[in-house]
Amino acid sequence: MNTDDNINHHILVWQKETKDHFVTDISKCKNQRTVFNQIVDDYELIFVHSLKLSFIPTLLRRRDRVYLFQHGMTFGSGFRRLYKRSIYFLVVNIIRFKIICSSDFAKKKLKSQILILNDRLIKIIPFGVNLKHNTSVSQTSQTLNIGFAGRLVGQKRIHKIYEAFQLLECHPVINFRIAGTGPLLKDLKETSLTFIDKQITSVFEGHVKDMSSFFLNIDVLILPSIGESYGLVVLEAFSNNIPVIVFSDTGACVDFIIPNKNGFIVNSIFELSQRICELNAADLRAQLKMNIKNMNLTRYHLSNTKSLLDEL
């Protein structure tokens, strides 16, 4: 069996006394099995993003220190879904690996996918962001700059934004910036061409390393996803004073939104189109940005996540 296929995953390890932590991509190591064994032996906590069968024998040695990230527990469909559910049922209920969920929503989502006999095996630790709240507010322009950031996949429902553009009852000049890559890229580019006559220009930026520069060039972020376990991109937007629009079924990050203060929660594509028209008013955009500038984002900081990890 090819070890390159077995341990090609990110693993976060944590040492409480020194608060030393790092993320390692074992696939880049020459002797993956040796490195993996050493990590399991040396560190107090081992967090696994995506579990494979080949991990289990080594992790069994320190089963009391192993945590699985809920957002990495993808199940797929068909036979693959049944197979992965069986594996996770085994490692959680029999081997008793624990699970970290980023929110109550993520916990409910997990329990709807797999039977977990002992609720105490699930720990809720909100993911923090290394927030550097930008105290400056960017100037608004006559062009409405809308942003989307995320994988270009079906779950993100980016097509809803284009459908909302189709329903606009106003005539704004829109610059739609899209940060991310994925299998829907080609289709989205084709769709974007149909809106050029409506003064709606799409800019596909691909993978963006410096998100602060991305947020500097938008007035509002729209996140139309369904079932987001957390939604870090919303917090990143707030740290750059950018308001956010989400759908009511977007997931955990709906709780981040204070309607008419730091963004909007919409229930339909038509309602999204209405909000876009409202945001065509530069004074509303400026007010929302000022509201966010005055928000206290301390509870979302990465340091809070670190404190919770130390308590495990």
Side-chain angles (χ1 to χ4, degrees):
M1 190 175 290
N2 188 338
T3 55
D4 288 342
D5 294 331
N6 295 336
I7 316 179
N8 186 14
H9 289 80
H10 291 285
I11 294 181
L12 173 67
V13 291
W14 184 266
Q15 192 76 14
K16 288 185 182 179
E17 287 85 356
T18 60
K19 295 187 179 180
D20 175 31
H21 68 287
F22 69 89
V23 178
T24 180
D25 184 353
I26 299 178
S27 66
K28 296 178 181 178
C29 301
K30 290 183 178 180
N31 193 333
Q32 297 178 19
R33 181 64 59 187
T34 300
V35 173
F36 185 51
N37 290 342
Q38 194 68 46
I39 286 174
V40 172
D41 289 337
D42 288 351
Y43 279 80
E44 289 191 41
L45 298 175
I46 300 98
F47 301 96
V48 181
H49 179 267
S50 184
L51 184 70
K52 285 195 173 185
L53 281 175
S54 59
F55 282 37
I56 297 175
T58 302
L59 294 174
L60 276 173
R61 302 204 307 264
R62 312 304 288 267
R63 70 177 74 185
D64 59 318
R65 300 188 304 164
V66 176
Y67 289 82
L68 309 176
F69 281 126
Q70 174 270 336
H71 67 279
M73 296 172 66
T74 54
F75 290 91
S77 59
F79 175 77
R80 179 181 175 82
R81 183 180 184 86
L82 179 62
Y83 169 75
K84 296 197 77 172
R85 276 184 169 178
S86 301
I87 295 299
Y88 281 117
F89 178 86
L90 170 68
V91 299
V92 174
N93 295 300
I94 307 301
I95 300 177
R96 298 178 69 82
F97 288 167
K98 294 176 279 292
I99 301 172
I100 289 181
C101 292
S102 56
S103 63
D104 286 316
F105 178 88
K107 179 179 177 179
K108 292 176 182 176
K109 181 178 177 181
L110 173 68
K111 294 181 72 174
S112 70
Q113 296 172 316
I114 179 175
L115 175 63
I116 297 177
L117 302 178
N118 187 348
D119 205 58
R120 288 180 296 179
L121 293 172
I122 304 176
K123 309 292 182 182
I124 296 179
I125 298 183
F127 297 155
V129 179
N130 191 19
L131 295 172
K132 296 179 180 178
H133 201 163
N134 189 350
T135 56
S136 63
V137 176
S138 59
Q139 297 295 316
T140 55
S141 65
Q142 294 303 312
T143 300
L144 177 56
N145 298 290
I146 295 175
F148 168 87
R151 285 274 295 159
L152 305 183
V153 295
Q155 181 190 354
K156 299 297 182 180
R157 301 194 304 193
I158 190 174
H159 64 276
K160 285 185 174 291
I161 300 176
Y162 281 111
E163 290 172 11
F165 289 162
Q166 195 70 50
L167 298 177
L168 290 176
E169 296 178 347
C170 57
H171 303 285
V173 177
I174 292 177
N175 186 20
F176 183 30
R177 309 184 77 91
I178 301 161
T181 61
L184 295 183
L185 178 60
K186 182 180 178 181
D187 290 342
L188 291 170
K189 284 185 175 182
E190 291 177 358
T191 299
S192 71
L193 296 177
T194 65
F195 288 89
I196 294 178
D197 292 341
K198 295 178 177 290
Q199 294 187 299
I200 299 175
T201 303
S202 296
V203 180
F204 293 87
E205 301 195 0
H207 176 67
V208 177
K209 291 185 178 180
D210 181 14
M211 287 300 292
S212 59
S213 63
F214 171 77
F215 288 117
L216 186 65
N217 291 300
I218 66 172
D219 298 306
V220 59
L221 179 78
I222 300 179
L223 186 63
S225 311
I226 184 170
E228 288 280 354
S229 295
Y230 198 60
L232 284 177
V233 70
V234 175
L235 300 182
E236 291 175 332
F238 288 165
S239 70
N240 287 276
N241 303 317
I242 299 300
V244 180
I245 301 177
V246 300
F247 277 76
S248 55
D249 61 353
T250 291
C253 53
V254 171
D255 293 337
F256 299 154
I257 306 299
I258 305 173
N260 302 307
K261 295 292 185 181
N262 59 13
F264 302 101
I265 302 169
V266 299
N267 297 296
S268 66
I269 297 169
F270 177 69
E271 190 176 350
L272 175 58
S273 71
Q274 290 180 309
R275 293 302 189 188
I276 291 173
C277 284
E278 291 173 13
L279 286 166
N280 194 38
D283 55 344
L284 175 59
R285 303 201 301 266
Q287 183 58 57
L288 290 171
K289 291 180 180 181
M290 188 59 65
N291 293 342
I292 298 170
K293 176 187 175 182
N294 296 324
M295 283 177 61
N296 184 356
L297 300 176
T298 306
R299 60 177 171 158
Y300 302 123
H301 199 276
L302 184 61
S303 59
N304 291 332
T305 304
K306 292 179 180 179
S307 298
L308 292 170
L309 289 174
D310 282 335
E311 295 174 6
L312 290 177

